[in-house]
Amino acid sequence: MLQSIPLDWYLILSAVLFVIGVIGVITRRNAIIIFMSLELMLNAVNLTMVAFSAFLGDVAGQIFVFFVMAVAAAEAAVGLAIVLALFRKKQTVYVDEVNLMKW
Amino acid sequence: MNLDVILFALFAIGAVASAVFTITRRNPVAAAMSLIGHFFMLAGLYLTLHAQFVAVVQVLVYAGAIMVLVVFVIMLLNLGNEQQLTERISMRTTIGTLVAALFAMQVVTGLLARPTGVNTQHADAAMIGATAGIGNALFTTYIFPFEAVSILLLAALIGAVILAKRHLHEGI
């Protein structure tokens, strides 16, 4: 039985992974890598929910992970379509070269 | 050292390392590959939490579907290495990174100082993590969100087709 890891370890790991995702979003220029960092953040939150679900014995956490995955798939489709449209229009995927909405 | 400690350490170190690798690579393909590794490590962590269904769906949906989409777009756009990781080390980026790191330190020290006290998994953990438990809850209590998600996926499908279409009023 795999039962001797406390809940806190999973929460700490999840916080670290989330912050790695945040740093990726802040520092990178490539829209696709920013997108992948977003996925990192979503997965960190998923880990938290699965951990709570397993430790508190409630199935709701894992159901929510299922929905988060569905939303992430939808986000992937739309986000990558936006990146494609952006590349057709501006020939770049670097977010600092896109200032259409900058005043 | 117990087997579970070894497994947790292996998957946790692998997950953090592949996440760091993902956000530091210049080549988008290398970043995508390490992100796939990250998803597999997370699936292993889900297995240590007795969440078999979520672990398998993680590999199928994330490592399978979503990353294929990402790699396909990278291939379609023919992206090379980023010239520089960042244009220049700007004030905003530095402050943002520092604030994020500070947040992580706060959470970690907070959890270390006052543990939640929940040290063992629930007795039913293996039962609710199996496909039967998830399916029972999904198709009874959560049937409305389930249907709503299917509409969301349809909307995303249509949106993606419209956005990626070649000529839309000759504009964006």
Side-chain angles (χ1 to χ4, degrees), chain A residues 2 4 6-8 10 13 19 27-28 30 39-40 43 46 54-55 57 60 62 67 69-70 72 82 87-88, chain B residues 4 8 23 25 38-39 42 45-46 48-49 57-58 62 77 82 86 100 116 118-119 122 129 134 142 149 164:
Chain A
L2 302 164
S4 74
L7 173 59
D8 305 285
Y10 287 99
L13 173 65
V19 168
T27 55
R28 297 304 298 263
N30 190 328
E39 300 287 342
L40 277 179
N43 271 290
N46 278 355
F55 279 87
Q62 297 186 20
F67 290 135
M69 281 178 183
I82 290 175
F87 191 79
R88 287 221 184 93
Chain B
D4 48 356
F8 179 83
I23 67 163
R25 290 307 97 185
H38 177 78
F39 290 151
L42 274 180
L45 282 170
Y46 292 153
T48 67
L49 288 164
V57 170
Q58 169 85 14
Y62 270 112
L77 302 185
E82 234 169 284
T86 50
T116 52
V118 183
N119 290 331
H122 200 271
I134 303 268
Y142 297 96
V149 154

Side-chain angles (χ1 to χ4, degrees), chain A residues 47-61:
Chain A
L47 180 60
T48 310
M49 286 198 280
V50 172
F52 274 121
S53 167
F55 279 87
L56 302 181
D58 190 347
V59 75

Side-chain angles (χ1 to χ4, degrees), chain A residues 10 12-13 15 18 29-30 38 42 52 57 67 71 80 83 94:
Chain A
Y10 287 99
I12 289 171
L13 173 65
F18 188 87
R29 305 162 60 214
N30 190 328
L38 281 177
L42 284 172
F52 274 121
F67 290 135
V71 171
L80 290 171
V83 171
Y94 296 149

Side-chain angles (χ1 to χ4, degrees), chain A residues 28 33 36 40, chain B residues 17-25 31 34-35 38:
Chain A
R28 297 304 298 263
I33 293 189
M36 288 196 260
L40 277 179
Chain B
S18 55
V20 170
F21 208 75
T22 301
I23 67 163
T24 50
R25 290 307 97 185
S34 59
L35 192 59
H38 177 78

